[in-house]
């Protein structure tokens, strides 16, 4: 359904982004932010699924500033490679790769002319939270099990747009105590937890939990319909 295009960030950096367009005119757009595995088959499928819901979907290659053409699987070696790339991107001087998300948001506005939301998974969930707090042109944000977003430093940020956050109750990286603290700090945000493990939305991983993934997607689509159209 989709294809890769080249976008340019404010600092002149060019990077690829996967774009999935709906069969009918887009009612709005969704920027899809990857896990630590690159814009792989699963992330492209997520973008395609949003296109089937009549959203223009753009998934920028968030590792491009460290390494081009990253597409990883879910084995232990892939996890290590993805963590190393995430560390490299996180170490960039601010605003770093957030510029690439902003360029994606701006391009989405140009392509569809409607409102733009952002959704992200794992590291992409953290980036979704940061985008909601720091970037311009968004109307809604839906982070899934955003690693690090419930830390004191990240939770101290304030979102500019409505947020719906999804967390896994059996997540070994994100404690339920930190999720509760995040919820207290951001009473305006919708925060849901699921009886599942980290990565429950990804049907390519052993952590996939079909019931939780379907419920979270149902809630997110309703949330985007409310705030994006």
């Amino acid at each position: 359904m989709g294809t890769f295009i080249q976008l340019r960030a404010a600092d002149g950096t060019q990077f690829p982004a996967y774009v999935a367009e709906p069969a009918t005119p887009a009612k709005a757009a969704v920027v899809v932010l990857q896990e630590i595995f690159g814009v792989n088959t699963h992330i492209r499928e997520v973008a395609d699924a949003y296109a089937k819901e009549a959203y223009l979907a753009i998934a920028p290659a968030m590792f491009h500033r460290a390494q081009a053409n990253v597409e990883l699987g879910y084995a232990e070696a892939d996890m290590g490679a993805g963590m190393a790339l995430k560390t490299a991107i996180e170490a960039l001087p601010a605003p770093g790769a957030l510029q690439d998300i902003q360029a994606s948001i701006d391009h989405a506005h140009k392509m569809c002319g409607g409102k733009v939301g952002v959704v992200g998974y794992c590291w992409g969930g953290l980036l979704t939270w940061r985008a909601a707090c720091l970037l311009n042109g968004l109307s809604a944000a839906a982070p899934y099990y955003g690693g690090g977003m419930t830390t004191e430093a990240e939770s101290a940020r304030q979102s500019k747009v409505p947020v719906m956050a999804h967390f896994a109750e059996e997540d070994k990286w994100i404690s339920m105590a930190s999720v509760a603290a995040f919820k207290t700090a951001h009473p305006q945000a919708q925060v849901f937890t699921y009886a599942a493990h980290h990565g429950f939305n990804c049907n390519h991983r052993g952590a996939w939990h079909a019931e939780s993934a379907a419920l979270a997607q149902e809630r997110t689509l309703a949330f985007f319909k409310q705030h994006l159209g």
Side-chain angles (χ1 to χ4, degrees):
M1 179 180 291
T3 186
F4 279 92
I5 64 171
Q6 290 291 318
L7 296 179
R8 187 183 298 273
D11 67 350
T13 299
Q14 283 192 299
F15 62 95
Y18 180 78
V19 177
E21 297 188 57
T24 56
K27 57 187 177 182
V30 177
V31 175
V32 179
L33 298 180
Q34 64 176 67
E35 301 168 300
I36 60 168
F37 308 105
V39 182
N40 61 7
T41 299
H42 171 62
I43 293 299
R44 296 196 299 273
E45 288 173 353
V46 170
D48 291 344
Y50 275 105
K52 289 177 182 177
E53 297 290 339
Y55 292 105
L56 171 74
I58 299 181
M62 296 304 301
F63 282 157
H64 189 74
R65 290 174 183 264
Q67 183 178 318
N69 304 317
V70 176
E71 184 169 345
L72 300 172
Y74 302 97
E76 187 174 344
D78 296 306
M79 181 77 72
M83 289 296 293
L85 286 165
K86 172 195 169 185
T87 298
I89 296 297
E90 290 282 324
L92 293 173
L98 284 176
Q99 298 171 91
D100 304 339
I101 303 174
Q102 185 65 67
S104 300
I105 295 167
D106 295 343
H107 187 73
H109 277 293
K110 290 177 184 176
M111 282 191 72
C112 81
K115 294 180 178 180
V116 179
V118 60
V119 62
Y121 308 86
C122 184
W123 179 52
L126 171 60
L127 294 176
T128 294
W129 172 246
R130 288 177 180 165
C133 299
L134 301 172
L135 301 184
N136 299 315
L138 290 172
S139 294
Y144 279 65
Y145 33 85
M149 67 175 280
T150 61
T151 63
E152 189 174 341
E154 292 292 342
S155 186
R157 303 184 194 274
Q158 294 298 319
S159 176
K160 299 178 181 181
V161 300
V163 170
M164 174 181 281
H166 306 283
F167 294 100
E169 293 166 9
E170 299 170 52
D171 197 321
K172 62 182 180 181
W173 289 288
I174 305 171
S175 72
M176 284 296 97
S178 72
V179 171
F182 178 88
K183 190 172 182 179
T184 298
H186 301 280
Q188 75 283 9
Q190 297 183 62
V191 178
F192 295 102
T193 65
Y194 303 82
H197 294 280
H198 187 92
F200 68 77
N201 184 71
C202 180
N203 61 353
H204 294 250
R205 301 174 68 172
W208 180 51
H209 191 263
E211 183 179 348
S212 297
L215 179 56
Q217 182 70 352
E218 179 183 333
R219 287 167 168 166
T220 300
L221 286 172
F223 175 69
F224 281 158
K225 182 178 182 180
Q226 177 185 358
H227 296 290
L228 305 181

